[in-house]
Amino acid sequence: MDIHEYQAKEILAKFGVEVPKGALAYSPEQAAYRARELGGDQWIVKAQVHAGGRGLAGGVKICQTQDEIHDACDNMFGRKLVTHQTGPEGKDIYRVYVETTAQIEREIYLGFVLDRSSQRVMIVASSEGGMEIEEISSTRPESIVRSTVEPAVGLQEFQAREIAFELKVEPGLVQHMVRTLQGCYRAFLDFDATMVEVNPLAITTDKRVVALDAKMSFDDNALYRHPQISELRDKSQEDPRESRAADRGLSYVGLDGNIGCIVNGAGLAMATMDTIKLAGGDPANFLDIGGGASPERVAKAFGLVLSDKNVQAVLVNIFAGINRCDWVAEGVVLALKEQQIDIPVVVRLAGTNVEEGQKILAKSGLPIIRATTLMEAAERVVGAWQRDLSQGTRLRAAQ
């Protein structure tokens, strides 16, 4: 789960990371009022969307007067911000963050991520802040500093000082840098984050270390332990399909293809998508319905997959261990009867109660295409989709 910049800054500030003064606004008028509250003679207005590259897309504006703030916000609210991270569909702007500006002497990149190879939290830093880490990696790889944290002891002061020295932080600011590094690490650890990024972390002309931007992402599976973090979720910034799936306890990731997938188990779901590609099709989603799925849960999964208007065929691939094939078969029949599905549906069942499941599908009288192996299922769903596509093309030509 991602959160907005202003939310990440509020969290980091509680752990001793210095951030600029700022306030949230939901309208141009409120943004101008926030600037008056903050004081000063220059402000920066930032669109709050879950994406990077906001500045290049017009989502960040420096303003000298309250009229400029009003005009900048008037151009932001209600439109979609399109960046290299959002794709062409963009993200809707519903709120902005108004901040005081800082006089920057130099910028640093700072990131905390979970390194799966070492099974440790890794700190990635660079003296070339203000750029995306991918750009830094390609243009200035020698500037990147990496350091893994031993989980038994956490981020120690000597380790934080070493990072500060490698970043060539001047001696008088090393302790401030140590406090910033340790604050970010504690926030990462205490809230089960998967990423904390401060870019840029600025050293100002008045010798302060300030987080000018911040991003945080959290482990969805740990949110039950942090209700205060769950409350920060902004569904308007999420794929509506993925949001609906999360609300129903399903693991779903939307893709760009047209063959919907309903599978139990993440590994099998990945194999299913690969096999569809091998057979000449394109998967429309990753969907893991989990173990012990009831007929109602399977029917809900159908509804979720079919909410994607690009889906032109569905493949159900179940290898039942904890699950049961007869439950899945009942769910498929229930979904087809309730939702009047008029696209090809291919079902492959294996494992517990597979014979009972096959009987339920056969007795239903519904146009369900059955398969016994994954490759066969993929070939049949791709073939059925292509036939439907061809028939639709001929029908339109005849009309």
Side-chain angles (χ1 to χ4, degrees):
M1 186 190 84
D2 297 327
I3 60 174
H4 289 293
E5 171 196 355
Y6 76 93
Q7 295 167 330
K9 285 180 173 176
E10 288 175 359
I11 292 173
L12 293 178
K14 293 176 181 177
F15 288 88
V17 178
E18 185 172 349
V19 300
K21 292 194 300 181
L24 193 65
Y26 293 91
S27 69
E29 293 77 13
Q30 189 178 26
Y33 178 74
R34 294 299 192 197
R36 287 197 296 272
E37 288 184 319
L38 293 171
D41 54 9
Q42 188 179 69
W43 304 269
I44 184 166
V45 179
K46 301 181 181 180
Q48 295 300 286
V49 296
H50 291 173
R54 292 173 298 169
L56 294 175
V60 178
K61 297 291 184 182
I62 297 175
C63 302
Q64 310 290 340
T65 68
Q66 292 169 28
D67 286 339
E68 287 184 17
I69 290 175
H70 186 283
D71 293 343
C73 292
D74 199 39
N75 290 327
M76 290 184 192
F77 279 112
R79 78 174 180 91
K80 290 184 180 293
L81 188 71
V82 179
T83 77
H84 66 283
Q85 291 188 5
T86 66
E89 64 276 7
K91 298 278 189 182
D92 291 312
I93 302 173
Y94 294 117
R95 62 188 89 178
V96 299
Y97 194 51
V98 183
E99 274 188 339
T100 56
T101 58
Q103 298 300 314
I104 302 171
E105 184 175 289
R106 58 175 295 208
E107 295 180 340
I108 293 170
Y109 173 88
L110 184 60
F112 292 71
V113 293
L114 184 63
D115 178 39
R116 298 187 185 279
S117 60
S118 64
Q119 300 182 14
R120 302 284 191 275
V121 176
M122 176 176 282
I123 302 172
V124 181
S126 171
S127 55
E128 302 292 326
M131 297 187 292
E132 299 288 340
I133 187 61
E134 295 83 4
E135 184 180 351
I136 297 172
S137 181
S138 62
T139 60
R140 292 291 306 277
E142 71 282 357
S143 72
I144 296 178
V145 176
R146 294 181 176 86
S147 182
T148 55
V149 182
E150 171 55 51
V153 297
L155 179 62
Q156 297 294 295
E157 280 205 24
F158 78 88
Q159 188 177 7
R161 282 197 298 272
E162 287 176 350
I163 295 171
F165 295 151
E166 289 194 63
L167 293 172
K168 297 180 172 55
V169 174
E170 59 187 85
L173 291 175
V174 167
Q175 197 55 39
H176 196 158
M177 188 68 183
V178 168
R179 185 166 65 249
T180 300
L181 286 163
Q182 289 187 320
C184 290
Y185 177 75
R186 289 198 306 273
F188 185 104
L189 202 64
D190 288 2
F191 290 119
D192 291 300
T194 56
M195 186 270 291
V196 172
E197 183 183 71
V198 178
N199 186 28
L201 177 68
I203 294 179
T204 65
T205 54
D206 57 351
K207 304 306 177 185
R208 295 180 297 130
V209 179
V210 184
L212 297 187
D213 196 2
K215 296 179 185 176
M216 292 187 73
S217 298
F218 301 89
D219 184 352
D220 292 344
N221 296 314
L223 288 177
Y224 73 94
R225 301 198 299 191
H226 309 291
Q228 71 274 42
I229 299 298
S230 298
E231 292 173 358
L232 302 180
R233 182 181 179 188
D234 183 359
K235 292 184 180 181
S236 72
Q237 298 295 307
E238 300 176 2
D239 185 319
R241 299 168 298 174
E242 296 179 14
S243 180
R244 284 195 296 272
D247 292 341
R248 290 158 179 78
L250 299 170
S251 298
Y252 181 99
V253 178
L255 303 172
D256 296 329
N258 42 39
I259 296 177
C261 305
I262 299 175
V263 191
N264 68 317
L268 186 59
M270 296 294 289
T272 301
M273 293 190 295
D274 287 345
T275 310
I276 288 172
K277 291 287 287 185
L278 186 63
D282 283 304
N285 63 273
F286 166 99
L287 174 58
D288 174 13
I289 62 173
S294 65
E296 292 75 21
R297 187 178 176 88
V298 175
K300 286 180 181 178
F302 261 95
L304 179 64
V305 169
L306 295 173
S307 67
D308 183 351
K309 302 304 181 184
N310 293 325
V311 171
Q312 298 171 342
V314 176
L315 171 57
V316 181
N317 183 27
I318 302 295
F319 187 87
I322 300 174
N323 219 328
R324 286 173 40 175
C325 289
D326 52 336
W327 289 349
V328 174
E330 289 174 8
V332 171
V333 172
L334 178 64
L336 291 177
K337 287 183 176 178
E338 286 185 347
Q339 303 180 44
Q340 298 180 341
I341 299 169
D342 59 355
I343 59 176
V345 175
V346 176
V347 180
R348 180 251 179 168
L349 301 176
T352 306
N353 290 0
V354 64
E355 294 83 4
E356 290 85 344
Q358 296 288 7
K359 288 177 183 178
I360 291 171
L361 296 178
K363 290 179 180 179
S364 70
L366 296 168
I368 299 170
I369 303 170
R370 286 176 284 164
T372 56
T373 68
L374 175 53
M375 192 69 232
E376 181 187 11
E379 289 172 346
R380 289 191 173 185
V381 76
V382 172
W385 161 66
Q386 290 173 339
R387 284 193 300 273
D388 262 31
L389 189 64
S390 177
Q391 289 171 0
T393 302
R394 287 198 299 271
L395 180 60
R396 286 192 296 273
Q399 292 173 339

